[in-house]
């Protein structure tokens, strides 16, 4: 993530935390990250993983897209890139993302908030996705919906995969 995006994310994260009246210690503890890491992130000096951002969004009780909405570039790590396309304004909250997985990528994702579902539609490449032990193999044009409130994965082989990803949250979430 570039310096501008890190600063933007840090300021937005700090605003969300302070709006709840929470200390750095409280949010860091609730999200299972070090207070020093959260402090650096809020100052625009961190290098957060996607899982860290998901945990922070869950603890702040906002959709992931609300946390990353101010960032206009793809977020990524370890061969995976994700970029928010749009957020719904209704209930249930639905976020839409563009996602890319490089060849030979295995992305293990932590469970999201209760009742959350993901739907993937593969645009190009080959992808295996779903909950651990119950994955589906997709070819271009194929779709799968699975419970994202359980650990889940995305796996590519020799080809890059691009897809549309929608996240439908099961619990009432704050709107942006």
């Amino acid at each position: 993530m570039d310096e501008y995006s890190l600063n933007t994310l840090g300021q937005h994260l700090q605003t969300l935390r302070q709006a709840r009246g929470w200390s750095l210690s409280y949010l860091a503890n609730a999200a299972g990250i070090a207070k020093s890491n959260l402090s650096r992130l809020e100052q625009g000096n961190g290098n957060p993983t996607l899982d860290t951002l998901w945990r922070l969004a869950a603890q702040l009780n906002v959709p992931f897209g609300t946390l990353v909405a101010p960032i206009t570039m793809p977020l990524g790590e370890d061969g995976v890139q994700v970029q928010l396309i749009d957020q719904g304004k209704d209930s249930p909250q639905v976020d839409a993302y563009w996602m890319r997985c490089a060849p030979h990528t295995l992305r293990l994702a932590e469970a999201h908030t209760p009742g959350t579902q993901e739907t993937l539609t593969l645009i190009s490449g080959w992808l295996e996705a779903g909950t651990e032990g119950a994955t589906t193999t997709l070819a271009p044009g194929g779709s799968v919906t699975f419970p994202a409130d359980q650990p889940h994965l995305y796996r590519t082989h020799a080809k890059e995969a691009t897809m549309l990803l929608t996240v439908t949250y099961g619990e009432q979430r704050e709107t942006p």
Side-chain angles (χ1 to χ4, degrees):
M1 199 178 318
D2 65 21
E3 185 177 337
Y4 176 78
S5 296
L6 279 171
N7 283 326
T8 301
L9 175 65
Q11 290 171 3
H12 186 59
L13 177 59
Q14 185 177 55
T15 298
L16 291 170
R17 177 182 60 78
Q18 289 177 340
R20 287 153 180 76
W22 294 352
S23 67
L24 275 169
S25 296
Y26 179 83
L27 179 56
N29 186 51
I33 64 174
K35 178 182 171 184
S36 60
N37 289 345
L38 179 58
S39 177
R40 281 194 306 274
L41 182 57
E42 285 190 0
Q43 294 169 12
N45 298 321
N47 188 19
T49 65
L50 292 173
D51 285 332
T52 295
L53 294 175
W54 272 103
R55 286 194 306 268
L56 288 167
Q59 292 308 312
L60 290 164
N61 196 33
V62 296
F64 180 79
T66 298
L67 179 59
V68 301
I71 302 170
T72 57
M73 64 182 294
L75 299 169
E77 66 179 314
D78 300 330
V80 176
Q81 288 185 320
V82 180
Q83 186 169 16
L84 179 67
I85 298 170
D86 198 7
Q87 287 189 286
K89 306 289 187 246
D90 300 313
S91 185
Q93 174 72 39
V94 179
D95 291 349
Y97 300 89
W98 166 86
M99 184 171 171
R100 177 191 158 277
C101 294
H104 305 290
T105 295
L106 172 60
R107 165 93 174 118
L108 301 173
E110 296 178 8
H112 305 325
T113 52
T116 301
Q117 290 194 335
E118 290 188 10
T119 300
L120 298 171
T121 300
L122 191 65
I123 298 169
S124 65
W126 180 98
L127 182 74
E128 177 186 356
T131 57
E132 293 181 9
T135 59
T136 300
T137 300
L138 298 173
S143 295
V144 63
T145 298
F146 57 87
D149 58 0
Q150 301 173 30
H152 49 286
L153 63 88
Y154 314 94
R155 181 188 338 257
T156 61
H157 284 258
K159 292 180 75 176
E160 166 182 285
T162 58
M163 67 214 76
L164 295 175
L165 165 66
T166 57
V167 179
T168 304
Y169 295 93
E171 295 184 339
Q172 182 63 29
R173 314 291 295 186
E174 287 188 19
T175 54

